[in-house]
């Protein structure tokens, strides 16, 4: 027998809004909760809704905005108008911030970002400043990705940088002919073995990055021990 379920009150139901960006694109943003706004910026290969298990206990106190970066999650069908996708994401983030500020009447709010999302926030701070950010939690992302003469040991790749860069170079070389082919429009059209190699590299990079210590740059730091492993997708299935 089918039983009637008690519906969640509207503020606690997950909804999707769209924010018009500077180039006219409608960017999807998942929203849930009631209270002060909090923005969460997702990682590479992640759907913004994967934050839900970690924020549901807090939705009675905060309203969470979860933007989907172009090419991921609900924005998987959106194209990038520029090759520099981090700068594009920074611009999109500014558009989301302005939307949230206008809707809530709050000028600055809490922001947390993980991995690529945190890299976007570095670009955002450099370009737009901190006007819309009252507190910031930076998860698994150093200010410089790779080791340099004046930055040793703090890069994402650690002591494996030379090895991994060689693998990246080989993957780029193997992929380049398909990027130049007119019939090659997306990842699905790549040869199976090349897709597996690309996904294996992405998975290895994700596992490497989540082994780094979590730290915060602005505001209070909160350690999210054991949670980032749950944010890694089972990417191998995408190769089929």
């Amino acid at each position: 027998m089918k039983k009637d379920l008690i519906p969640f009150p509207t503020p606690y139901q997950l909804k999707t809004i769209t924010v018009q960006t500077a180039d006219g694109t409608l960017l999807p943003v998942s929203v849930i909760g009631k209270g002060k706004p909090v923005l969460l910026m997702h990682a590479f290969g992640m759907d913004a809704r994967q934050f839900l298990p970690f924020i549901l206990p807090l939705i009675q106190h905060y309203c969470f905005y979860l933007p989907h970066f172009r090419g991921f999650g609900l924005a998987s069908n959106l194209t990038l108008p520029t090759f520099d996708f981090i700068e594009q994401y920074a611009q999109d983030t500014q558009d989301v911030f302005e939307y949230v500020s206008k809707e809530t009447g709050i000028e600055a709010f809490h922001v947390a970002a993980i991995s690529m999302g945190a890299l976007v926030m570095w670009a955002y701070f450099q370009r737009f400043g901190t006007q819309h950010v009252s507190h910031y939690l930076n998860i698994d992302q150093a200010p410089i990705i790779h080791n340099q003469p004046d930055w040793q040991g703090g890069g994402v790749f650690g002591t494996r940088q030379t090895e991994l860069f060689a693998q990246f170079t080989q993957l780029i070389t193997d992929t380049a002919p398909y990027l130049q082919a007119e019939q090659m429009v997306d990842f699905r059209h790549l040869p199976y073995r090349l897709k597996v190699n690309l996904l294996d590299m992405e998975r290895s990079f994700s596992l490497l990055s989540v082994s780094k210590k979590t730290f915060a740059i602005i505001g209070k730091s909160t350690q999210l021990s054991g949670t980032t492993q749950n944010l890694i997708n089972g990417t191998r299935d995408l190769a089929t």
Side-chain angles (χ1 to χ4, degrees), residues 31-176:
V31 183
I32 190 171
K34 181 180 180 180
K36 293 181 179 180
V38 177
L39 274 76
L40 301 179
M41 319 303 288
H42 69 78
F44 180 84
M46 181 179 170
D47 185 309
R49 291 167 294 185
Q50 288 177 277
F51 280 120
L52 287 175
F54 312 112
I55 64 176
L56 287 178
L58 303 173
I59 61 176
Q60 297 183 57
H61 308 289
Y62 300 96
C63 182
F64 291 92
Y65 291 81
L66 316 175
H68 295 256
F69 290 127
R70 303 186 194 212
F72 300 97
L74 295 178
S76 60
N77 63 329
L78 298 184
T79 58
L80 286 161
T82 176
F83 180 78
D84 192 341
F85 65 95
I86 295 297
E87 285 296 324
Q88 181 61 56
Y89 292 164
Q91 175 61 62
D92 291 346
T93 298
Q94 170 69 353
D95 296 330
V96 172
F97 282 7
E98 290 182 347
Y99 171 87
V100 174
S101 182
K102 182 178 179 180
E103 286 293 308
T104 63
I106 298 176
E107 180 68 17
F109 22 81
H110 301 312
V111 179
I114 181 172
S115 194
M116 183 189 72
L119 184 60
V120 171
M121 287 306 300
W122 284 119
Y124 175 87
F125 288 138
Q126 185 175 34
R127 184 172 173 184
F128 297 104
T130 60
Q131 176 184 355
H132 286 307
V133 181
S134 61
H135 294 75
Y136 174 56
L137 176 64
N138 193 87
I139 308 170
D140 270 332
Q141 183 60 59
I144 296 177
I145 295 179
H146 56 88
N147 296 325
Q148 298 181 21
D150 60 347
W151 183 269
Q152 288 292 321
V156 172
F157 306 102
T159 58
R160 297 184 59 198
Q161 177 168 298
T162 301
E163 170 197 348
L164 292 173
F165 276 20
Q167 295 179 25
F168 291 155
T169 301
Q170 186 60 54
L171 279 174
I172 292 171
T173 301
D174 294 343
T175 307

